[in-house]
Amino acid sequence: GQYTISFDPVRWFVLVLISLTLLPIQTSWEEIFIRGYILQGVYFHTRKPWVAMLISSLIFAALHGANPEIAKYGYVTMGLYYVFAATFLAYITIMDDGLELSMGVHWAINFVGATLLTYDGSVIQTDSIFRVSDLKAPLLVIGFVVAALIFSYIASRKYGWNSFDRLFENGVTP
């Protein structure tokens, strides 16, 4: 009863077209600003990738602090979600030595939230296929962490990442 199907093919197709054109601009801007400038700027001053990852993640979470999810589901739960998401995106940026993966993952998260599944209180209120009336925010956080760990494992195998070494060595450019 918490999930409803609200599929309207014409409205959904327009939504997909808008999402395919505008979401890449929005997510790329955030990635370039947070992970391209802030992450690298903090690293430049500290020479510690893990410090740059932590500070840039906290800034990302703070920038999302005015989102309606915070008011509806609580600052702690949704704040953790944003910190975990930002930390994951910073991690894959550092490990991959580039923004491409974080841009793609960020876009995919927002695309799914816009076109497939949205929930009451979400910052992205759209004509998605499914709507959740009573989101269990702690499960959202846990689900994201599990998905991020699986993605990180697959990416580390595919790209030969040596998991945490890059985060704690000096002289690595994030």
Side-chain angles (χ1 to χ4, degrees), residues 40-59:
Q40 288 188 58
V42 172
Y43 173 76
F44 178 79
H45 292 289
T46 65
R47 294 290 185 224
K48 297 186 182 329
W50 69 270
V51 172
M53 183 171 72
L54 179 64
I55 291 173
S56 67
S57 297
L58 292 173
I59 291 170

mmCIF file of all heavy atoms in Angstrom, residues 40-59:
data_model
loop_
_atom_site.group_PDB
_atom_site.id
_atom_site.type_symbol
_atom_site.label_atom_id
_atom_site.label_comp_id
_atom_site.label_asym_id
_atom_site.label_seq_id
_atom_site.Cartn_x
_atom_site.Cartn_y
_atom_site.Cartn_z
ATOM 1 N N GLN A 40 39.875 18.797 -4.596
ATOM 2 C CA GLN A 40 41.265 19.057 -4.979
ATOM 3 C C GLN A 40 41.860 20.230 -4.201
ATOM 4 O O GLN A 40 43.040 20.207 -3.852
ATOM 5 C CB GLN A 40 41.360 19.321 -6.480
ATOM 6 C CG GLN A 40 41.142 18.064 -7.291
ATOM 7 C CD GLN A 40 41.415 18.287 -8.753
ATOM 8 O OE1 GLN A 40 42.516 18.675 -9.119
ATOM 9 N NE2 GLN A 40 40.415 18.045 -9.584
ATOM 10 N N GLY A 41 41.043 21.247 -3.935
ATOM 11 C CA GLY A 41 41.544 22.389 -3.172
ATOM 12 C C GLY A 41 41.928 22.012 -1.754
ATOM 13 O O GLY A 41 42.981 22.423 -1.246
ATOM 14 N N VAL A 42 41.086 21.213 -1.107
ATOM 15 C CA VAL A 42 41.403 20.762 0.254
ATOM 16 C C VAL A 42 42.636 19.867 0.216
ATOM 17 O O VAL A 42 43.520 19.978 1.061
ATOM 18 C CB VAL A 42 40.197 20.044 0.900
ATOM 19 C CG1 VAL A 42 40.579 19.415 2.234
ATOM 20 C CG2 VAL A 42 39.029 21.011 1.081
ATOM 21 N N TYR A 43 42.707 18.990 -0.785
ATOM 22 C CA TYR A 43 43.882 18.122 -0.893
ATOM 23 C C TYR A 43 45.149 18.954 -1.093
ATOM 24 O O TYR A 43 46.184 18.672 -0.493
ATOM 25 C CB TYR A 43 43.733 17.127 -2.041
ATOM 26 C CG TYR A 43 45.004 16.356 -2.260
ATOM 27 C CD1 TYR A 43 45.357 15.326 -1.392
ATOM 28 C CD2 TYR A 43 45.885 16.711 -3.265
ATOM 29 C CE1 TYR A 43 46.551 14.649 -1.551
ATOM 30 C CE2 TYR A 43 47.082 16.043 -3.429
ATOM 31 C CZ TYR A 43 47.408 15.017 -2.577
ATOM 32 O OH TYR A 43 48.597 14.354 -2.723
ATOM 33 N N PHE A 44 45.069 19.988 -1.913
ATOM 34 C CA PHE A 44 46.220 20.850 -2.174
ATOM 35 C C PHE A 44 46.779 21.421 -0.874
ATOM 36 O O PHE A 44 47.985 21.520 -0.688
ATOM 37 C CB PHE A 44 45.832 21.981 -3.128
ATOM 38 C CG PHE A 44 46.947 22.947 -3.402
ATOM 39 C CD1 PHE A 44 47.951 22.623 -4.305
ATOM 40 C CD2 PHE A 44 46.990 24.174 -2.756
ATOM 41 C CE1 PHE A 44 48.986 23.515 -4.556
ATOM 42 C CE2 PHE A 44 48.026 25.066 -3.002
ATOM 43 C CZ PHE A 44 49.023 24.739 -3.906
ATOM 44 N N HIS A 45 45.885 21.786 0.050
ATOM 45 C CA HIS A 45 46.315 22.388 1.314
ATOM 46 C C HIS A 45 46.688 21.366 2.385
ATOM 47 O O HIS A 45 47.519 21.661 3.244
ATOM 48 C CB HIS A 45 45.237 23.336 1.850
ATOM 49 C CG HIS A 45 45.071 24.548 0.994
ATOM 50 N ND1 HIS A 45 46.011 25.546 0.920
ATOM 51 C CD2 HIS A 45 44.077 24.909 0.155
ATOM 52 C CE1 HIS A 45 45.611 26.481 0.076
ATOM 53 N NE2 HIS A 45 44.430 26.113 -0.411
ATOM 54 N N THR A 46 46.090 20.174 2.347
ATOM 55 C CA THR A 46 46.347 19.198 3.406
ATOM 56 C C THR A 46 47.277 18.067 2.977
ATOM 57 O O THR A 46 47.902 17.438 3.831
ATOM 58 C CB THR A 46 45.035 18.551 3.890
ATOM 59 O OG1 THR A 46 44.465 17.788 2.826
ATOM 60 C CG2 THR A 46 44.069 19.609 4.402
ATOM 61 N N ARG A 47 47.299 17.769 1.688
ATOM 62 C CA ARG A 47 48.058 16.630 1.139
ATOM 63 C C ARG A 47 47.596 15.296 1.735
ATOM 64 O O ARG A 47 48.348 14.339 1.774
ATOM 65 C CB ARG A 47 49.570 16.797 1.336
ATOM 66 C CG ARG A 47 50.144 17.938 0.562
ATOM 67 C CD ARG A 47 50.112 17.592 -0.917
ATOM 68 N NE ARG A 47 50.772 18.626 -1.688
ATOM 69 C CZ ARG A 47 50.268 19.109 -2.816
ATOM 70 N NH1 ARG A 47 49.145 18.654 -3.287
ATOM 71 N NH2 ARG A 47 50.908 20.029 -3.481
ATOM 72 N N LYS A 48 46.352 15.255 2.193
ATOM 73 C CA LYS A 48 45.774 14.037 2.753
ATOM 74 C C LYS A 48 44.453 13.751 2.044
ATOM 75 O O LYS A 48 43.456 14.441 2.290
ATOM 76 C CB LYS A 48 45.558 14.179 4.251
ATOM 77 C CG LYS A 48 46.858 14.369 5.012
ATOM 78 C CD LYS A 48 46.619 14.370 6.499
ATOM 79 C CE LYS A 48 47.863 14.603 7.300
ATOM 80 N NZ LYS A 48 49.103 14.160 6.817
ATOM 81 N N PRO A 49 44.435 12.731 1.176
ATOM 82 C CA PRO A 49 43.201 12.432 0.430
ATOM 83 C C PRO A 49 41.992 12.169 1.323
ATOM 84 O O PRO A 49 40.891 12.607 1.008
ATOM 85 C CB PRO A 49 43.564 11.191 -0.382
ATOM 86 C CG PRO A 49 45.050 11.226 -0.502
ATOM 87 C CD PRO A 49 45.539 11.861 0.768
ATOM 88 N N TRP A 50 42.172 11.500 2.457
ATOM 89 C CA TRP A 50 41.030 11.181 3.313
ATOM 90 C C TRP A 50 40.443 12.441 3.938
ATOM 91 O O TRP A 50 39.232 12.533 4.140
ATOM 92 C CB TRP A 50 41.399 10.131 4.366
ATOM 93 C CG TRP A 50 42.353 10.616 5.424
ATOM 94 C CD1 TRP A 50 43.703 10.563 5.385
ATOM 95 C CD2 TRP A 50 42.004 11.238 6.657
ATOM 96 N NE1 TRP A 50 44.243 11.118 6.523
ATOM 97 C CE2 TRP A 50 43.217 11.535 7.330
ATOM 98 C CE3 TRP A 50 40.802 11.573 7.279
ATOM 99 C CZ2 TRP A 50 43.247 12.153 8.578
ATOM 100 C CZ3 TRP A 50 40.843 12.189 8.522
ATOM 101 C CH2 TRP A 50 42.055 12.459 9.154
ATOM 102 N N VAL A 51 41.293 13.442 4.231
ATOM 103 C CA VAL A 51 40.800 14.708 4.778
ATOM 104 C C VAL A 51 40.018 15.457 3.700
ATOM 105 O O VAL A 51 38.935 15.989 3.964
ATOM 106 C CB VAL A 51 41.964 15.579 5.321
ATOM 107 C CG1 VAL A 51 41.481 16.968 5.697
ATOM 108 C CG2 VAL A 51 42.622 14.900 6.506
ATOM 109 N N ALA A 52 40.546 15.461 2.493
ATOM 110 C CA ALA A 52 39.848 16.113 1.378
ATOM 111 C C ALA A 52 38.503 15.439 1.124
ATOM 112 O O ALA A 52 37.498 16.110 0.871
ATOM 113 C CB ALA A 52 40.725 16.077 0.127
ATOM 114 N N MET A 53 38.478 14.114 1.215
ATOM 115 C CA MET A 53 37.245 13.372 1.008
ATOM 116 C C MET A 53 36.225 13.733 2.087
ATOM 117 O O MET A 53 35.057 14.005 1.789
ATOM 118 C CB MET A 53 37.528 11.868 1.019
ATOM 119 C CG MET A 53 36.320 11.020 0.736
ATOM 120 S SD MET A 53 36.702 9.276 0.486
ATOM 121 C CE MET A 53 37.101 8.782 2.144
ATOM 122 N N LEU A 54 36.648 13.775 3.339
ATOM 123 C CA LEU A 54 35.750 14.074 4.450
ATOM 124 C C LEU A 54 35.205 15.501 4.372
ATOM 125 O O LEU A 54 33.994 15.720 4.465
ATOM 126 C CB LEU A 54 36.472 13.859 5.779
ATOM 127 C CG LEU A 54 35.653 14.168 7.031
ATOM 128 C CD1 LEU A 54 34.465 13.235 7.146
ATOM 129 C CD2 LEU A 54 36.526 14.090 8.268
ATOM 130 N N ILE A 55 36.077 16.467 4.177
ATOM 131 C CA ILE A 55 35.634 17.866 4.139
ATOM 132 C C ILE A 55 34.726 18.133 2.948
ATOM 133 O O ILE A 55 33.670 18.768 3.080
ATOM 134 C CB ILE A 55 36.847 18.826 4.173
ATOM 135 C CG1 ILE A 55 37.510 18.745 5.552
ATOM 136 C CG2 ILE A 55 36.428 20.257 3.847
ATOM 137 C CD1 ILE A 55 38.815 19.503 5.669
ATOM 138 N N SER A 56 35.086 17.635 1.771
ATOM 139 C CA SER A 56 34.234 17.858 0.597
ATOM 140 C C SER A 56 32.885 17.167 0.770
ATOM 141 O O SER A 56 31.854 17.682 0.313
ATOM 142 C CB SER A 56 34.933 17.397 -0.683
ATOM 143 O OG SER A 56 35.099 15.992 -0.706
ATOM 144 N N SER A 57 32.861 16.027 1.451
ATOM 145 C CA SER A 57 31.598 15.313 1.688
ATOM 146 C C SER A 57 30.699 16.081 2.653
ATOM 147 O O SER A 57 29.478 16.137 2.468
ATOM 148 C CB SER A 57 31.875 13.914 2.228
ATOM 149 O OG SER A 57 32.579 13.167 1.268
ATOM 150 N N LEU A 58 31.284 16.664 3.667
ATOM 151 C CA LEU A 58 30.498 17.469 4.609
ATOM 152 C C LEU A 58 29.942 18.717 3.932
ATOM 153 O O LEU A 58 28.798 19.118 4.193
ATOM 154 C CB LEU A 58 31.337 17.835 5.832
ATOM 155 C CG LEU A 58 31.700 16.658 6.741
ATOM 156 C CD1 LEU A 58 32.683 17.110 7.824
ATOM 157 C CD2 LEU A 58 30.463 16.009 7.342
ATOM 158 N N ILE A 59 30.721 19.313 3.039
ATOM 159 C CA ILE A 59 30.234 20.482 2.294
ATOM 160 C C ILE A 59 29.086 20.073 1.372
ATOM 161 O O ILE A 59 28.066 20.758 1.283
ATOM 162 C CB ILE A 59 31.389 21.161 1.526
ATOM 163 C CG1 ILE A 59 32.351 21.811 2.519
ATOM 164 C CG2 ILE A 59 30.856 22.181 0.517
ATOM 165 C CD1 ILE A 59 33.650 22.310 1.907
#
